[in-house]
Amino acid sequence: MSPRRPADIDGIAAMLRDGATYREIHAAYGCSRGTISQVRRDHRIPTPDRWKKHRTVAEVLALNSEACEDGHVRWTGPHARGNPELWANGRRYNGRHEAFKAHHGRAPLGRVTASCGRPGCIAGPHLADRVIRDADAVLARILPRATS
Ligand SMILES: [Zn+2]
């Protein structure tokens, strides 16, 4: 998070507690979605119920994904036990699994990892499950030079 005056942090936290949207907080303080998310986490302010109930997985995924250089994508929403926490349709989802599903068109098998090596990356093409890792291992044996 970029350095901010404590008064700004307190103001952002107060707006979050009052249920302000990220757009409203950005208009007031000019801060990024990531900064607002960080303040929410630091102050343990729960996500407003309206987000949990009324947004679809695709909407929340889009709202909390920030494109980075080289095609990587960063999750700017909340985390729970190291995983992107995605609230939609009135329930919690694993954001990494939903990003995988959105790109690959199927549910992942086993753990979902960032095959690009960038911790926390949720870019669909960079996510691999057990099926993809196993297929890559087979390809590496058949075509050792092509996949190195
Ligand atoms: Zn990546």
Side-chain angles (χ1 to χ4, degrees):
M1 187 165 85
S2 58
R4 294 209 161 261
R5 293 181 301 133
D8 284 0
I9 301 298
D10 290 345
I12 293 167
M15 286 187 79
L16 281 170
R17 284 192 198 93
D18 289 343
T21 64
Y22 279 22
R23 188 184 304 268
E24 291 166 337
I25 297 169
H26 173 77
Y29 291 96
C31 50
S32 71
R33 184 169 292 281
T35 298
I36 299 167
S37 292
Q38 186 66 51
V39 171
R40 184 188 294 284
R41 281 194 298 278
D42 290 348
H43 290 75
R44 299 181 189 283
I45 300 168
T47 308
D49 283 345
R50 67 172 186 280
W51 273 52
K52 296 176 184 178
K53 287 180 184 155
H54 302 302
R55 301 239 192 223
T56 65
V57 167
E59 286 172 335
V60 178
L61 200 54
L63 282 168
N64 292 290
S65 295
E66 184 177 272
C68 303
E69 75 289 349
D70 298 329
H72 302 293
V73 175
R74 191 172 74 88
W75 174 257
T76 60
H79 286 78
R81 286 183 229 100
N83 288 312
E85 188 181 48
L86 191 160
W87 281 95
N89 307 321
R91 59 163 286 215
R92 180 171 43 190
Y93 297 82
N94 179 320
R96 189 174 299 120
H97 286 203
E98 295 310 312
F100 179 96
K101 275 194 226 175
H103 179 75
H104 294 285
R106 63 172 175 84
L109 274 175
R111 286 183 55 219
V112 175
T113 56
S115 58
C116 61
R118 182 170 177 134
C121 180
I122 60 160
H126 298 185
L127 295 176
D129 68 344
R130 191 173 63 225
V131 173
I132 293 170
R133 285 188 297 274
D134 288 352
D136 285 348
V138 169
L139 281 175
R141 280 198 301 273
I142 298 169
L143 309 164
R145 269 171 259 145
T147 56
S148 62

